Every structure is written in C-alpha cells, then in structure tokens.
Amino acid sequence: MDIIDMQHEHKVKYFNGGGSSSWDFCGYAGCPGAKVPGHDLCYLHLPAEQRRDYLHAVHKQKYPLELSGLTITGPEFSAIMAAMPVKEKSPYERFPIMPHTSCRGTLFPDKINAHQVIWNGHVDFTNAQFAEELLIQDGTFNELVDFSGAKLASINASHCKFKDLKIEMSTIEGSFNLSTSEISSSCSIAGSKMGSLYMRSAVLKCPLNLQGATTGSGASGHFDLTSAKITGGLNCIDARFPVSTAFGSPYRESEPSEVTGLIDFRGATFGDQGKGRCVFAHMELKSADFSDSIFHGRVTFSNITMTGRCELQNIRHEYDLNQDSQSVKQFKPTLFDGFQFKNVSFDEAIELKNWKSSGEVQLNSITSDKAIEVLDADIKHLSLQNVGCLSFSGLGSFSTMNLSRCKFSNGGQVRSGVSEFNIEQCSSSAPFTIAPLSFEGKPSILALNGTDLNNFIFSGLDLRRARIETAANVDKVAIQGPILMHIPPVLRSRRAVLLGEIAYRSETVGRRSWRKRASADVLPIPSASELQASYRALRKAQEDRKDEPGSADFYYGEMEMRRLASTKPSSEWIILTLYWLVSGYGLRAWRSLMILIIILTGSSVLIHRFGLINPVELADAFLFSIQNSLSINNAKLSSSLNAVGSWIQVVQRVCAPAFIALALLALRGRVKR
C-alpha cells in the first residue's frame, strides 16, 4: 500500500514502487475552495493528525478529493492517482479508482496524463486551466464530468465511457477528441470555443448540445462526426463550424451517421470568408432545420435518407473561387464546387426559401414524392440533375439554371430574373412553365438536348441560342408572349430564325452576312432536312394553339429549308424558288404587290408602244391595264388592240388576279385570329 508522509506542513510525499513526487498544495493564499469536508479550512491549515485522517479517508473513497484553487503539475497529479486504490485486470493493467474530485479553478501548468482511470464520483474541473494537453482516454466516468468555464490546451477523451459530460462556455485552444467514446445520459458543449472537435464513431445515447459552440478559427480547425450514433436530437443553433466539417464520410465503406431526433442548425455558420468544406454524407436522419444558416465554400449532402421534414429557409451560401485553404485543397479532387444535395431521399416536400448563394447550388439524384420549391431565391447557379419529384417551382434570381435528366410528374414553373437555362433530357407529365420574373429581361434558353417538350410552356424567353432541333416533341411545345429570336441579315425578309439555320447557312451557303451571326458552339451543324422538321414542328405547335400569325415565321423557315434541301435545278426547287421570289411563300404581300405593279407598268408601256392600232396616251394605256386586271371591260381600247396587245391582255388577266390573291393570302396570314 502507498505510504503517506505528513511530517512537513507544506510538503506531501507519495511513495509508490520506489518513486516519489512532492509539491506545495498552496496554489495561492488562503486556498479558496479547497476546504476539507467538515472543516472551514484548507487541509494544509489543519493539524497533522486531521490531515492524515482526511487523506486516508480520500484513499478509502469516503471523502471527495478536493484540489480546488491549487497549482498542480502533471507528475503531482500522477502521484495523487498513484495513491488511490486500483482495479487490476491483469498484472499489466491497473486502473486507478478516483473518488469525487473537485478541481474548481485549479491550474495545471503541464501535461496531465490520466488515461485508463475509473472515476467513481462527480468530476469537477469548472474554471480550471490546463496549459498543456489533458489525456483522459480509455477512462470510465460514472458521474457528471464538468469542464464548464475551463481553459484547456487540448483534450484527448477518446475511447471513454461517460454518464454525463458538460463542457459549457469553455475554451479549448487545440482539439477536443471524443472519437469512439460512449455517453449515456447527457452531453452539452454549448457556448464553448474549440480548435477542433472529433467525434468519429462516437455513440451518444442522449441528445448532443452544441448550441452557440465555435469550432475552428479562420482557415483552421476540423469538425468530424463521421459514423456517430446519436439517440435524440442534435442542437447546433447559432453554432460555428470550421472550414473542414464532416457530419458523415463521403466514402461508401464508412458506417452511416445516425441521428434519431431533430437536427437543429438554425443560425449556424459553416466555414469562413467563402472558404469551407462541409460534408453531410451517409446519414440516416429523421428531420433537420437549417433555417437562417450561412455556408461558405463547398457543401455536400450525399447519400442521406430524410424521413421527416427538412427546413431550408433563408440560407446564405458564399463561395470563394480562389480557395487557398490547405485543409480544403487536400480534398479538392473529391468535392463539388458549391452547395450540393446528392443521392438524398426526402419523404417530405423540399422548400428552399430566401436562399442566397454566390456559388452553385446543385440537387443531384434527389427523389421525393412531394414538391421541390426554390422560392424568393438569389442564387448564382442552380442545377437539378437526376431529380424526380411531384413538381418543381423556382422563383427568384438565377444567373444560370441547369435542368438535366429531371422528371416532374405534376409539372411546375420557373419564373426567374435575367438568367440562362440549360434543359437536357427532361420531361414533365403536366404543364411546366418557364417565364421571366418581370418584364425587365428575358431568360435565355441555351440547350434543349433530348428534352421532351410536351407540356413545356415558354413565355417571354430569349431563344436566340437555343438548339431547338435537338429536342423531342417540338410540335407539343407552347410558345407564348414576345419571344426573342435571331433575325436574318440586312436586306433579307425579317422573320424568326433558329440558331441551327444560321450555322447551316454559314457553313453550307457560305454567305458572309450569315457568318457574322454564327456561333462556334453550334456543333454538330444540323442539315436542312433537320431544320425543316424543326420549323414544321414549331409551326404545328403554334397552329394547334390557334396562333396563325405566330406560326407564319416558322412556316417561312420550313419552306426555306425545304427549298435549300431540294436538288438544283429540280422542278421542286424551281417551283419553290419562284414561290419564294414572287410572294415569300405566300407570306410577303409586298412582294406580290410589287411584282404586280411591275407587270402592270411594263405591260402598259408595251401596249402603249406596240399593242394598239390607234395610239393613245401612256396614262390611258395604264388605266386600261388596271381595268383589264380587274376584269373591267374597256370597249374603246379593247377594240383597238392588235395581236401583240391581245396577248398582253391575256397575260394581264392571268397574272394580275394571281398576284392579288397571293397578296391577300399573305395579309390574311398576318391578321387571322
């Protein structure tokens, strides 16, 4: 048994196995808080006999170990533990058994090694100060462990078993390691400041309280909750997390993290100054609230099952393109640049309301039987990939929006400020509207590759860069309101032109005026037949909606592509060329009227010079031509016509009604209701 020597008033020696250690228990005058039970004085001021009895009582676990307000070095604390009884598991495994221990306000100037210790009573380190590491790993704590208000360099509490752990309003300059530890009753780290917090594979049979806690500073620090099991909720209200934060591992071989109660991140901040790496991966969650949270840098929600409600209101996301944090760079190849939901299953509706993000927000491989709503948002880039949901609503300001391989069973709508859309391989079983948020600008469609346009409604959009010929069911699309499309070069008939036609004419026809409007992004270049089919489908879509004037430009484009696709100089090409020349395919009244005027003028001159037996004035000849075109008989001049004049009269009676009919047809196409 250890021998306790009380011969000196201010020196106490513990002898254990030939070794010894001594120290002065009077940390400062009066030793406040270090009163012996049953007495009003510090044990140093008691008579020697009473001091001996007290320390023996501590050894026998009858009294608590009172070390409050003292200065104790690491070797001295080791000597105290050496004086305590032990539990032997083997000749090489001896676990000291500590009683109720009070170290309130105690100063520990160097490293404290207290690993593999059994703490039977309450452990009170309130307002204590640890200048170096506190090592308590593999310990067993049967009562409350309280570090409230303490200042520590770092704590290694891995592989421990706690009943109650309380570290509130404390400061830990380095890391706090709770990996693989078990906590059975309560755990609160509220309001504390830590350099890093590691809870990998920890098992908490109670809620975890991190409200107001701060982990990391600037570009430093780590937070790791990978593979942790938490029975109850996770309270992270107003907490701050470092640039490297992991609530789950991105690797499939890792055990999933589980939280059975509400995860509350209201007002929490992740990362700093646009830099960060936050991963929520392989987690099974009941419900979560991220309202009013701020995310910096890269954020990934991956392989998560959400069985309850997920609140995502008023999120702000800041992303710095020049991320230079070393803790971020080492993970760069495996991370997404922005805010990402990937392989997440939601049983409830997803509502992203009042979001602000300077980077990209991506919903990837999301499944939900309910709606996905992005409302009142200000997001630079919004991307939906492999999303299947009841409906989708996007309302706000988006610089770009990508919809790729999405299916909406009940339709939806997107109303956005000035933005760019890429819509690839998407479909909707009900009306899906894309329209501007206001009249100030027109959202631009960039891609429609493989998209089934059935049930899509384009209203007030910019289609100048859209590859419409790459979409499916173009004849089912509904185009409403003023649509902005390309127009032909100067001196050509004004109409709506597809981007594919510009590329085709630039490469095939080779006109310089068309090449100026060409875009290098149009690859592969469509053929005239493909463009003809696209124009025909757009025309049919407008005609099905009883929009005859709106279909006129698409009919013109269809006929142009049909003419260019014809073999020269086939009969079809000749007919179509003449049809285009004299009437603009029955859509340009001015051409028919102009040719009619030319014919009447020329025939009047010919009649005046060569067609009359008795010459008359040119004005009379012109009047005769007009009357002849309208089938009004002028007996005086008709009887004066010679053979040449008679043939001219026949030409006038055939051509004039035809051109008048073409002009009327063109006017009807423009004004038909």
Side-chain angles (χ1 to χ4, degrees), residues 5-141:
D5 187 352
M6 297 292 298
Q7 294 180 358
H8 302 284
E9 181 173 345
H10 295 292
K11 301 290 181 180
V12 180
K13 292 186 178 181
Y14 284 77
F15 298 92
N16 182 23
S20 67
S21 178
S22 64
W23 70 92
D24 186 351
F25 269 97
C26 293
Y28 48 87
C31 297
K35 297 179 180 178
V36 172
H39 302 275
D40 293 331
L41 299 174
C42 168
Y43 73 93
L44 292 179
H45 300 140
L46 294 175
E49 188 67 26
Q50 293 182 6
R51 282 182 287 161
R52 185 182 299 110
D53 293 341
Y54 165 64
L55 292 175
H56 277 293
V58 170
H59 176 84
K60 295 178 180 180
Q61 310 286 304
K62 291 184 178 180
Y63 284 135
L65 177 61
E66 183 64 69
L67 301 176
S68 299
L70 307 178
T71 299
I72 300 177
T73 65
E76 292 166 354
F77 195 80
S78 296
I80 292 176
M81 292 188 297
M84 297 297 109
V86 297
K87 178 180 179 180
E88 293 190 13
K89 288 188 175 181
S90 69
Y92 304 101
E93 292 182 304
R94 304 174 75 244
F95 300 94
I97 301 176
M98 299 291 287
H100 172 101
T101 303
S102 180
C103 297
R104 298 173 64 89
T106 302
L107 173 62
F108 298 90
D110 50 12
K111 180 178 180 178
I112 301 299
N113 189 341
H115 75 290
Q116 296 183 334
V117 175
I118 299 174
W119 306 75
N120 276 338
H122 175 79
V123 183
D124 189 354
F125 286 105
T126 304
N127 298 322
Q129 297 184 48
F130 295 81
E132 296 186 19
E133 180 185 17
L134 171 60
L135 181 63
I136 55 175
Q137 68 179 124
D138 296 302
T140 300
F141 299 83

Side-chain angles (χ1 to χ4, degrees), residues 609-642:
R609 295 284 302 271
F610 309 107
L612 294 172
I613 299 173
N614 299 316
V616 296
E617 296 293 333
L618 180 60
D620 293 333
F622 189 76
L623 178 61
F624 169 76
S625 297
I626 295 176
Q627 292 174 338
N628 190 48
S629 300
L630 300 175
S631 299
I632 299 175
N633 187 25
N634 188 327
K636 179 181 179 180
L637 283 183
S638 296
S639 60
S640 300
L641 293 175
N642 57 25

Side-chain angles (χ1 to χ4, degrees), residues 12 15 50 64 94 105 126 156 159 220 248 262 266 296 299 381-382 429 432 452 493 503 663:
V12 180
F15 298 92
Q50 293 182 6
R94 304 174 75 244
T126 304
N156 187 345
H159 308 286
S220 65
L262 171 67
R266 286 177 295 169
H296 294 267
V299 185
H381 307 290
L382 178 63
S429 301
F432 190 93
D452 185 351
S493 181

